[in-house]
Amino acid sequence: MASQPRSEAAPAADVPSLVHQVTPGPELLEAASATLRMLAEPTRLHLLWQLSQGPKTVTELTAAVGVPRTVASQHLAKLRLSGLVDTRKDGRHVIYSLRDGHLVRLIRETINHADHRVTGEPTHG
């Protein structure tokens, strides 16, 4: 049984919403868990963090993350197959980007949350 949105006022069909009021059912929880599993590996999270700053090539990502190209490519393939990143061709280059704004916010918030834990900075209310 899929979760049904529970919002007071539904946004216009052509305007994506940033917040969805839902009650998670088994299918939604599994999909969310699959996303979090992809974020749970440090190299993939670092790649995603880089992509949260904007689209990049494999060469740019390899340099920024500090891993061999083959390692970056393997992780990017997993992220693409899981639906978290998109690709487009620009001549001979493949440009990677995050699939949507939810992922950008999720990655940034995950890193910010970790920063609070590591630095001891007080949490937000």
Side-chain angles (χ1 to χ4, degrees):
M1 181 170 152
S3 300
Q4 296 298 316
R6 295 179 184 225
S7 63
E8 307 260 325
D14 61 342
V15 178
S17 66
L18 297 177
V19 177
H20 307 275
Q21 299 298 324
V22 298
T23 302
E27 182 180 8
L28 186 60
L29 290 168
E30 182 53 43
S33 294
T35 297
L36 293 173
R37 282 191 296 274
M38 293 307 292
L39 272 64
E41 200 286 324
T43 299
R44 281 196 299 267
L45 183 56
H46 197 175
L47 289 165
L48 291 166
W49 169 255
Q50 291 298 321
L51 292 173
S52 76
Q53 310 305 306
K56 293 183 176 40
T57 65
V58 176
T59 302
E60 292 170 323
L61 289 166
T62 298
V65 176
V67 296
R69 186 179 188 91
T70 55
V71 171
S73 293
Q74 289 172 351
H75 284 295
L76 289 165
K78 287 181 182 181
L79 293 167
R80 186 179 53 77
L81 290 172
S82 70
L84 298 183
V85 300
D86 288 323
T87 60
R88 67 177 169 82
K89 286 275 205 174
D90 183 16
R92 294 181 1 167
H93 300 282
V94 176
I95 311 294
Y96 286 85
S97 61
L98 289 180
R99 172 72 45 102
D100 64 43
H102 288 295
L103 291 170
V104 172
R105 290 187 305 281
L106 176 62
I107 282 123
R108 289 180 180 172
E109 285 299 319
T110 299
I111 297 296
N112 289 331
H113 170 73
D115 181 60
H116 281 267
R117 301 226 21 195
V118 169
T119 65
E121 184 175 338
T123 60
H124 303 285

